[in-house]
């Protein structure tokens, strides 16, 4: 298992290195460059030259990349032009906030999707299964921004019980302290994934219900509830865990829509802001973090697999 | 049954929780009367992507945005600023909110004396003196290239000697005679009083002294202050920024750009400048959509809506808001690239520029596309709000919308429409010929780079394309993000790679915001820094210089009238800085066209009375 994880970790480093090269080149190929974006129409040619010189943009692309790598190894991700802060500080401040949003949404989605999928599987072919399947498809087909808008109109404008804006606290504690502000962004993000999770759960439960071990357990006289909870659910959670691990980075970047919609001060908003202002150091920093999240997501999948299925652990 | 009860209980808890007022939370805007009350919190939404990011009143290039200056002015009283003179109904440079009193020019306008308001103290009790102005000047002189407002030949280059006459008077000996109006409006408004006694150290924890009086010392002091200003996360706690002389002090500056100010209880400026509110929160929004949603649910007290929503004005009024477009002191235009590889010869023909200007239906664009929130741009001097810089002649539209006039200008200069596109049939340089550099059968085809991301701008460009096509001018519009447009619209010569752009537009929120005197030395002078299209005209250069040097107001009128006629750019409707939506019971708001704000004038009125 350890050897397997080390191998995966080394692979991950190579992937991150390649990602950083591709993103670096693509960003620097954008027309205009950051100087005009930062200095605006009033920036003089001298100021633009000075900016480019200070940032090293007047050097060749490979030299710039090597300089970037060198800084990266010392933990220096550069400074944001727009937010007047070190990128590392910005990531440190924003990352926990996005993680909070992602974790809360995922947890809510799982809490809803697992029993829902189970219920659909048990009641397969019945009216409730069709109704829930229809609802799941509807949710799955609804874009997050549209869902968010409906939520805002319903719960912040027509029935004003929740704020349309996420809390603006500086720490996770402050965000949690203003929990009502978190409700709409979390629910919007969770509803966007609950449909998919419940469909996976339904299929997985149905697959397991036809397995021989279920028949054996029934023959032993165990109750349906016990079979479902003790045996089927555990096995059905494996594909869901795979999905969860692989979906984590998507969720992470998907937070962008929710964050910009609810003015939530997380990584998505940071990325959006940076993209608007050609803030290269921030864009590179966020990309790096998303890259790491992707790699960690797949690692997490492997670990969860091993936890849920001891056979996998022994093979590894 | 148990679950129903649980759901009901949860709903009740939720309702109770959300009923609590949070900062900038839901507000009750019942009918209001006119009885002012002291106290309260106002939350103002900043425009999208306007994140305040600089506190030190000398901003480096890239940090000179209006919202930064607006917030700095609340903490540090400006020496001169655009101030609304309520008696005259126009803007002036000094008033109750400024530290400087009326400047006096002498020695044939080669010397200016700046008297300071007496009795004003810093929040630590030390008086604000002429030394604080000298401190600013010394820092600036030694570090001018690190100052965003620096432009060769202007402040501090144009000050030969800076003298402090007494504690409340400074005198500037200038390098030549300047137009007092221009110098005060565009140069003295850059002055700041900085607390020398608190900021004058070279190193953290080091002694405070007159180090700024030597170049080396001024560089060290400036470097230290800049280093502190680069630590945005510590603005709220850094003792440096706690020494203020304005009506407000900082209560918080979040990394997201949210700034909270509270009244400076040690404020010693004019009584009329003392704040009425307990707290003001400036809240940044990354997208206009999120701000719009929050505004609709009452989450901000003073926000903005996109012009396309102006049709729903009534809905906001029903909710207890008033809708008020905030006119900016700006000009909006499409840049012509006079050196374009492809269209340079076309752009250089005044009759073609005139024909094109006749095809810009500014009124229809303003009324239909901008829902009445834009005003026409008729020349380099803003038409609204009215000012002394605008002559009677400049109020007239020299090129009213007329397809017939445009067609006539083209045909009389040898153009003929073939298959929908005008082609030159009489090449040559005669009065009735196409003009220099235009060959026989050359088509009148142009490409326009325009910023994307705004429905209003997209519609404006489509309207323009349609109008131009009526006279046979084939316009191809390429929309790109603002950064990309700005990056490509750089001064170039025909031989340079990338000089193939013909026209460029970056004016969705106004192309150029002027200082108080709308002079054009940065825009239309030969070789000027923001003369992106390389416009060059000897007479224009001469009259632009006259605006800077001649004391006669006629100079600015001549400049405005000449360039309105010569069309160095294509004048376009000037959109409002923003369409503001303000709570009915929040009063005292004057929307200054130079886009500064004065929350010390804001106050709430009592609820419950009649509207």
């Amino acid at each position: 298992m350890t050897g397997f994880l080390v191998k995966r970790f080394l692979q991950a480093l190579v992937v991150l290195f390649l990602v950083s090269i591709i993103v670096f080149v693509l960003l620097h190929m954008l027309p205009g460059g950051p100087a005009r974006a930062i200095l605006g129409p009033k920036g003089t040619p001298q100021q633009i030259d000075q900016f480019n010189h200070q940032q090293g943009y007047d050097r060749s692309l490979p030299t710039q990349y090597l300089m970037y790598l060198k800084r990266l190894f010392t933990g220096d991700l550069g400074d944001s032009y727009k937010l007047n802060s070190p990128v590392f500080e910005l990531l440190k401040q924003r990352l926990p906030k996005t993680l909070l949003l992602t974790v809360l949404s995922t947890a809510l989605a799982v809490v809803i999707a697992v029993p829902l999928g189970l219920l659909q599987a048990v009641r397969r072919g019945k009216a409730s299964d069709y109704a829930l399947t229809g609802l799941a498809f509807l949710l799955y087909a609804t874009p997050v921004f549209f869902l968010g808008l409906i939520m805002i109109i319903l719960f912040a404008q027509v029935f004003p019980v929740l704020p349309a804006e996420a809390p603006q606290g500086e720490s996770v504690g402050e965000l949690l302290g203003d929990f009502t502000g978190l409700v709409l962004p979390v629910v919007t993000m969770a509803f966007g994934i609950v449909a998919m999770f419940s469909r996976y759960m339904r299929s997985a439960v149905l697959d397991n219900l036809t397995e021989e071990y279920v028949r054996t357990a029934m023959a032993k006289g165990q109750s349906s509830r016990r079979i479902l909870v003790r045996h089927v659910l555990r096995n059905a959670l494996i594909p869901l865990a795979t999905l969860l691990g692989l979906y984590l980075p998507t969720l992470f970047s998907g937070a962008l829509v929710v964050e910009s919609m609810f003015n939530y001060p997380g990584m998505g908003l940071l990325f959006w802001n940076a993209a608007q202002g050609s803030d290269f150091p921030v864009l590179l920093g966020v990309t790096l973090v998303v890259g790491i999240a992707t790699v960690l997501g797949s690692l997490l999948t492997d670990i969860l697999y091993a936890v849920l299925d001891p056979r996998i652990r022994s093979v590894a | 049954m148990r679950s129903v009860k649980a759901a009901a209980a949860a709903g009740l808890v939720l309702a109770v929780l959300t009923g609590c007022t949070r900062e900038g939370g839901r507000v009750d805007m019942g009918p209001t009367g006119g009885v002012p009350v002291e106290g309260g919190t106002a939350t103002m939404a900043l425009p999208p992507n306007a994140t305040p990011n600089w506190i030190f009143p000398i901003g480096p290039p890239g940090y000179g945005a209006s919202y930064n200056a607006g917030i700095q002015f609340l903490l540090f009283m400006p020496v001169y600023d655009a101030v609304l003179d309520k008696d005259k109904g126009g803007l002036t440079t000094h008033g109750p909110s400024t530290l400087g009193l009326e400047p006096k020019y002498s020695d044939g306008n080669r010397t200016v004396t700046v008297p300071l308001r007496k009795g004003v103290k810093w929040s630590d009790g030390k008086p604000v003196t002429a030394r604080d102005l000298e401190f600013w000047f010394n820092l600036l002189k030694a570090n001018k290239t690190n100052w965003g407002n620096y432009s060769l030949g202007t402040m501090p280059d144009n000050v030969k000697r800076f003298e402090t006459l007494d504690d409340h008077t400074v005198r500037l000996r200038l390098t030549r005679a300047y137009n007092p109006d221009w110098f005060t409006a565009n140069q003295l408004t850059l002055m700041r009083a900085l607390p020398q006694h608190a900021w004058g150290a070279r190193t953290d924890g080091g002694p405070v002294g007159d180090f700024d009086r030597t170049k080396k010392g001024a560089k060290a002091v400036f470097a230290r202050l800049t280093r502190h200003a680069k630590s945005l996360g510590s603005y709220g706690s850094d003792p440096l920024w706690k020494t203020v002389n304005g009506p407000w002090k900082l209560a918080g500056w979040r990394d997201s750009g949210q700034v909270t100010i509270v009244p400076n209880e040690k404020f010693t400026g004019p009584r009329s400048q003392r704040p009425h509110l307990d707290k003001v929160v400036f809240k940044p929004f990354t997208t206009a959509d999120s701000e719009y949603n929050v505004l609709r649910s009452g989450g901000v007290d003073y926000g903005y809506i996109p012009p396309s929503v102006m049709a729903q004005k009534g809905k906001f009024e029903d909710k207890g808001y008033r809708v008020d477009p905030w006119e900016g002191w700006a000009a909006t235009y499409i840049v012509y690239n006079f050196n374009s590889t492809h269209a340079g010869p076309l752009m250089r023909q005044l009759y073609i520029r005139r024909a094109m200007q006749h095809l810009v239906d500014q009124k229809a664009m303003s009324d239909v596309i901008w829902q009445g929130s834009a005003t026409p741009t008729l020349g380099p001097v803003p038409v609204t709000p009215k000012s002394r810089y605008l002559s009677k002649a400049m109020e007239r539209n020299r090129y009213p919308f007329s397809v017939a006039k445009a067609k006539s200008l083209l045909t009389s200069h040898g153009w003929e429409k073939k298959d929908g596109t005008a082609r030159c049939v009489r090449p040559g340089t005669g009065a009735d010929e196409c003009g220099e550099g235009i060959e026989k059968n050359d088509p009148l085809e142009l490409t326009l780079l325009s910023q994307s991301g705004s429905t209003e701008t997209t519609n404006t460009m489509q309207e323009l394309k349609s109008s131009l096509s009526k006279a046979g001018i084939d316009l191809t519009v390429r929309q790109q993000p603002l950064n990309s447009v700005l990056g490509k619209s750089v001064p170039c010569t025909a031989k340079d790679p990338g000089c193939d752009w013909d026209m460029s537009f970056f004016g969705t929120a106004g192309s150029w915001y002027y200082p108080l005197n709308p002079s054009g030395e940065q825009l239309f002078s030969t070789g000027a820094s923001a003369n992106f299209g390389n416009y060059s005209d000897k007479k224009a250069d001469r009259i632009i210089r006259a605006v800077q040097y001649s004391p006669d107001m006629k100079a600015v009128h001549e400049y405005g009238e000449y360039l309105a006629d010569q069309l160095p750019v294509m004048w376009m409707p000037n959109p409002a800085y923003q369409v503001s939506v303000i709570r009915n019971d929040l009063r005292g708001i004057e929307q200054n066209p130079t886009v500064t704000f004065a929350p010390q004038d804001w106050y709430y009125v009592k609820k419950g009375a009649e509207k």
Side-chain angles (χ1 to χ4, degrees):
Chain A
M1 183 73 177
T2 315
F4 174 71
L5 287 177
V6 169
K7 196 175 152 194
R8 288 294 317 275
F9 182 72
L10 290 174
Q11 279 174 347
L13 281 182
V14 175
V15 170
L16 282 177
F17 177 66
L18 291 174
V19 166
S20 75
I21 292 180
I22 293 166
V23 173
F24 192 88
V25 171
L26 286 178
L27 278 182
H28 286 73
M29 278 170 68
L30 282 175
R36 205 29 104 179
I38 305 301
L39 301 174
K42 294 192 176 182
T44 63
Q46 291 78 12
Q47 286 171 344
I48 287 172
D49 288 346
Q50 194 185 350
F51 178 90
N52 285 335
H53 183 67
Q54 277 170 356
Q55 302 302 326
Y57 292 141
D58 51 358
R59 300 189 185 186
S60 71
L61 210 54
T63 313
Q64 286 184 50
Y65 181 70
L66 286 176
M67 281 163 56
Y68 172 71
L69 266 193
K70 198 176 153 190
R71 283 206 313 268
L72 202 61
F73 279 117
T74 58
D76 177 10
L77 294 171
D79 293 328
S80 161
Y81 311 137
K82 281 275 184 186
L83 295 173
N84 183 21
S85 289
V87 174
F88 183 75
E89 283 300 314
L90 290 170
L91 294 176
K92 207 170 80 180
Q93 287 154 358
R94 308 293 181 102
L95 186 60
K97 294 175 189 173
T98 294
L99 278 177
L100 176 75
L101 183 64
T102 310
V103 167
L104 286 179
S105 314
T106 311
L108 181 65
V110 170
V111 165
I112 299 173
V114 169
L116 209 63
L118 208 61
L119 189 72
Q120 281 175 277
V122 171
R123 299 190 155 263
R124 183 173 59 150
K126 294 188 176 160
S128 54
D129 179 30
Y130 288 126
L132 289 172
T133 302
L135 185 70
F137 279 131
L138 185 70
L139 275 178
Y140 192 56
T142 309
V144 174
F145 71 86
F146 184 69
L147 191 64
L149 202 59
I150 298 287
M151 292 281 184
I152 290 171
I153 292 172
L154 269 179
F155 298 108
Q157 289 166 12
V158 179
F159 306 108
V161 290
L162 291 164
E165 187 185 26
Q168 301 295 306
E170 286 187 273
S171 64
V172 170
E174 275 185 60
L175 294 183
L176 287 169
D178 194 0
F179 194 74
T180 51
L182 278 173
V183 174
L184 288 185
V186 166
V187 169
T188 302
M189 206 158 145
F191 275 16
I193 46 178
V194 79
M196 193 201 318
F197 283 7
S198 71
R199 293 303 296 165
Y200 261 81
M201 192 64 199
R202 180 183 181 273
S203 304
V205 172
L206 282 177
D207 286 348
N208 278 283
L209 282 176
T210 57
E211 291 284 333
E212 283 194 2
Y213 75 89
V214 173
R215 225 174 303 155
T216 311
M218 284 171 82
K220 281 183 175 176
Q222 289 189 1
S223 71
S224 303
R225 177 176 288 197
R226 188 179 164 83
I227 293 169
L228 214 56
V229 175
R230 289 290 297 270
H231 302 292
V232 175
L233 184 61
R234 190 181 175 116
N235 285 320
L237 280 176
I238 294 177
L240 194 67
T242 319
L243 184 71
L244 202 63
L246 296 174
Y247 204 67
L248 199 67
T250 317
L251 268 178
F252 202 72
S253 48
L256 192 150
V257 178
V258 174
E259 288 184 8
S260 64
M261 179 162 250
F262 292 96
N263 210 36
Y264 185 89
M267 292 271 289
L269 209 56
L270 183 69
F271 186 78
W272 176 258
N273 218 345
Q276 296 287 308
S278 298
D279 201 343
F280 285 4
V282 175
L283 288 172
L284 282 165
V286 175
T287 310
L288 203 67
V289 170
V290 173
I292 292 169
T294 308
V295 170
L296 282 180
S298 3
L299 272 177
L300 193 70
T301 309
D302 292 340
I303 294 165
L304 273 175
Y305 246 87
V307 170
L308 291 168
D309 191 344
R311 286 173 302 175
I312 294 168
R313 213 180 308 163
S314 59
V315 170
Chain B
M1 193 61 195
R2 195 187 295 166
S3 60
V4 174
K5 275 182 187 171
L12 191 66
V13 169
L14 205 63
V16 169
L17 279 173
T18 51
C20 299
T21 309
R22 60 188 203 119
E23 197 173 89
R26 212 152 44 78
V27 288
D28 171 22
M29 290 181 289
T32 52
V35 183
V37 288
E38 292 292 308
T41 296
T43 302
M44 181 188 186
L46 292 166
N49 268 316
T51 310
N53 56 2
W54 197 260
I55 191 168
F56 179 32
I58 302 177
Y63 292 98
S66 58
Y67 41 87
N68 277 334
I71 290 168
Q72 285 163 16
F73 281 2
L74 306 177
L75 311 176
F76 307 98
M77 270 180 97
V79 182
Y80 292 104
D81 187 19
V83 178
L84 184 72
D85 185 331
K86 284 180 184 159
D87 296 334
K88 292 180 188 165
L91 290 173
T92 179
T93 52
H94 53 277
S97 62
T98 61
L99 197 62
L101 304 171
E102 189 175 0
K104 290 177 182 65
Y105 286 82
S106 57
D107 187 23
N109 294 330
R110 286 169 184 270
T111 299
V112 55
T113 306
V114 176
L116 297 180
R117 194 180 292 279
K118 288 178 183 163
V120 180
K121 290 179 179 169
W122 294 102
S123 46
D124 57 11
K126 297 277 186 338
V128 177
T129 67
R131 175 72 180 99
D132 296 325
L133 256 67
E134 188 209 338
F135 180 60
W136 168 82
F137 186 79
N138 291 342
L139 293 186
L140 208 66
K141 201 161 172 63
N143 300 279
K144 59 188 181 186
T145 54
N146 292 314
W147 181 42
N149 284 317
Y150 176 66
S151 184
L152 193 72
T154 60
M155 185 70 84
D157 295 348
N158 50 17
V159 178
K160 207 158 54 183
R161 207 161 61 245
F162 190 101
E163 300 164 351
T164 50
L165 298 187
D166 58 46
D167 269 359
H168 294 95
T169 319
V170 298
R171 192 160 62 194
L172 278 61
R173 304 273 188 192
L174 310 180
T175 50
R176 56 161 298 149
Y178 281 94
N179 169 7
D181 184 87
W182 179 84
F183 199 87
T184 305
N186 294 13
Q187 300 288 275
L188 291 186
T189 46
L190 301 170
M191 271 182 132
R192 305 283 180 266
L194 308 179
Q196 186 272 331
H197 69 278
W199 292 6
R202 285 175 299 184
T203 52
D204 288 336
V208 171
D210 292 333
F211 305 115
D212 57 295
R213 285 181 169 154
T214 66
K215 194 173 179 182
K216 195 178 163 197
K219 277 189 177 292
V221 172
F222 184 83
R224 173 176 167 262
L225 292 168
T226 302
R227 201 168 52 246
H228 278 262
K230 279 187 177 170
S231 174
L232 185 139
S234 64
Y235 283 4
S237 55
D238 193 329
L240 272 181
W241 317 127
K242 293 199 185 302
T243 308
V244 297
N245 64 1
W248 299 90
K249 65 178 184 182
L250 206 57
W253 193 310
R254 292 184 175 172
D255 69 272
S256 61
Q258 179 168 307
V259 179
T260 305
I261 53 169
V262 292
N264 169 14
E265 68 275 11
K266 306 262 177 66
F267 180 63
T268 46
R271 221 182 155 72
S272 64
Q273 291 298 297
R274 291 186 190 165
H276 304 283
L277 299 175
D278 293 330
K279 186 158 67 169
V280 177
V281 181
F282 297 102
K283 188 174 274 194
F285 286 89
T286 303
T287 63
D289 287 343
S290 62
E291 187 275 345
Y292 178 62
N293 289 330
V294 173
L295 183 72
R296 275 185 54 139
S297 56
V300 286
D301 308 309
Y302 181 175
Y304 50 86
I305 54 171
S308 55
V309 182
M310 278 281 274
Q312 294 178 32
K313 192 178 168 191
K315 282 189 183 169
F316 283 95
E317 287 169 347
D318 290 345
K319 274 175 171 275
Y321 290 108
R322 59 184 186 276
V323 178
D324 186 9
W326 186 344
E327 286 177 358
W329 187 240
T332 300
Y333 47 78
I334 290 175
V335 177
Y336 292 129
N337 183 4
F338 290 90
N339 285 350
S340 165
T341 317
H342 156 251
L346 300 174
M347 304 279 86
R348 287 194 284 271
Q349 309 305 321
L350 178 58
Y351 75 88
I352 292 182
R353 303 202 298 275
R354 283 180 170 157
M356 292 209 287
Q357 192 66 52
H358 271 302
L359 295 166
V360 182
D361 192 350
Q362 293 207 52
K363 189 173 180 332
M365 286 173 180
S366 298
D367 291 349
V368 178
I369 299 171
W370 292 97
Q371 303 283 330
S373 67
T375 51
T377 306
L378 303 178
V381 176
V383 180
T384 54
K386 291 268 185 292
S387 69
R388 59 185 182 277
Y389 304 110
L390 193 78
S391 67
K392 271 273 170 226
M394 276 187 270
E395 289 181 49
R396 181 175 62 87
N397 187 353
R398 285 151 200 270
Y399 303 104
F401 179 66
S402 170
V403 177
K405 278 185 184 166
K407 278 182 178 170
S408 156
L409 275 165
L410 293 177
T411 49
S412 66
H413 284 86
W415 293 84
E416 206 175 284
K417 210 168 163 182
K418 291 176 182 172
D419 301 327
T421 303
R423 287 183 181 274
C424 172
V425 291
R426 285 197 305 276
T429 53
D432 62 346
E433 290 168 340
C434 299
E436 197 181 339
I438 301 170
E439 307 290 330
K440 191 173 173 68
N441 269 332
D442 273 0
L444 200 34
E445 289 172 342
L446 299 164
T447 304
L448 167 64
L449 286 177
S450 169
Q451 74 177 98
S452 55
S454 150
T455 313
E456 287 81 10
T457 296
T458 303
N459 293 344
T460 300
M461 294 309 143
Q462 287 312 312
E463 158 64 20
L464 183 66
K465 181 182 167 69
S466 164
S467 294
L468 291 179
S469 72
K470 286 175 189 160
I473 302 171
D474 186 9
L475 184 73
T476 304
V477 181
R478 291 200 186 123
Q479 286 203 289
Q480 294 176 354
L482 176 63
N483 296 338
S484 179
V485 175
L486 284 173
K488 284 182 180 170
S489 313
V490 289
C492 55
T493 62
K495 289 176 193 162
D496 295 340
C499 201
D500 52 353
W501 61 278
D502 304 334
M503 298 157 81
S504 154
F505 180 75
F506 43 85
T508 297
S511 302
W512 188 264
Y513 276 77
Y514 288 107
L516 205 48
N517 183 314
S519 55
E521 67 274 8
Q522 289 182 71
L523 291 177
F524 304 121
S525 292
T526 301
S529 59
N531 184 353
F532 299 128
N534 271 308
Y535 174 72
S536 181
D537 180 292
K538 281 181 182 160
K539 187 177 174 189
D541 287 344
R542 184 169 52 76
I543 57 178
I544 286 171
R545 276 196 300 274
V547 177
Q548 284 180 271
Y549 305 143
S550 163
D552 195 339
M553 193 51 85
K554 277 182 189 159
V556 75
H557 292 169
E558 192 190 352
Y559 145 77
E561 286 165 23
Y562 183 69
L563 289 177
D565 180 67
Q566 288 296 301
L567 304 167
V569 290
M570 180 190 273
W571 308 116
M572 296 295 288
N574 184 34
Y577 168 67
Q578 69 178 36
V579 178
S580 299
V581 177
I582 311 162
R583 270 176 73 150
N584 261 335
D585 57 352
L586 181 59
R587 305 283 171 82
I589 295 173
E590 293 282 357
Q591 300 198 113
N592 187 328
T594 58
V595 197
T596 54
F597 21 78
Q600 56 270 30
D601 296 337
W602 304 355
Y603 60 92
Y604 281 108
V605 287
K606 214 180 259 180
K607 293 188 196 331
E610 268 185 40
K611 221 176 204 176

